Amino acid sequence: MSRTETLQLAGSALAEAWERTMPIVLSQSDHAEVRADEAQENVLRVHIATAGHSNYSFDFKCTYVDSREVQVELIDVECDGVSVDERTNTIQTLADDYVRHIHECAQQLHAVTSG
């Protein structure tokens, strides 16, 4: 596909498609919330709460570069509602895993985002 393909679905409709697809690519016990960015139609805000007793939550900014490719940026990590050091091995491993899941979700939605 051409890198010049433009995003055909944006804003809240895109966020709703992600909300339906993220549970498919995440572990069953993890939970994701996806919201459209209010300032940019090609940006989604992804919040993932981890499973188990760790009580970590991750916030990502997901920017569509074109209809297929997303750029993912880790914004914040919290444990029990308190920001934590994002540089620890445990958090980096979890964050990397979630970034892969976010990219996988974008690939699954390519048919929707390319029109």
Side-chain angles (χ1 to χ4, degrees):
M1 294 286 158
S2 168
R3 287 191 45 82
T4 59
E5 284 185 31
T6 58
L7 189 61
Q8 297 299 311
L9 183 67
S12 62
L14 182 60
E16 288 170 15
W18 273 73
E19 280 273 325
R20 289 189 304 273
T21 307
M22 281 300 290
I24 296 168
V25 300
L26 286 177
S27 298
Q28 266 188 321
S29 50
D30 290 338
H31 176 72
E33 294 177 16
V34 183
R35 301 286 177 256
D37 186 277
E38 293 181 13
Q40 298 172 289
E41 282 197 338
N42 66 322
V43 174
L44 296 171
R45 301 294 177 160
V46 180
H47 175 84
I48 299 174
T50 61
H53 300 289
S54 64
N55 290 328
Y56 285 121
S57 64
F58 293 77
D59 291 310
F60 296 94
K61 178 181 178 183
C62 179
T63 305
Y64 269 87
V65 177
D66 58 28
S67 67
R68 178 185 299 246
E69 183 181 350
V70 292
Q71 177 184 6
V72 182
E73 179 183 351
L74 178 62
I75 301 299
D76 188 38
V77 181
E78 294 183 351
C79 182
D80 291 323
V82 177
S83 288
V84 296
D85 184 357
E86 300 161 6
R87 298 168 292 183
T88 67
N89 286 339
T90 300
I91 291 176
Q92 284 299 308
T93 299
L94 285 168
D96 290 346
D97 192 41
Y98 289 133
V99 167
R100 280 191 297 278
H101 290 312
I102 290 169
H103 282 286
E104 185 179 339
C105 187
Q107 288 299 314
Q108 289 196 18
L109 288 170
H110 181 251
V112 174
T113 57
S114 65

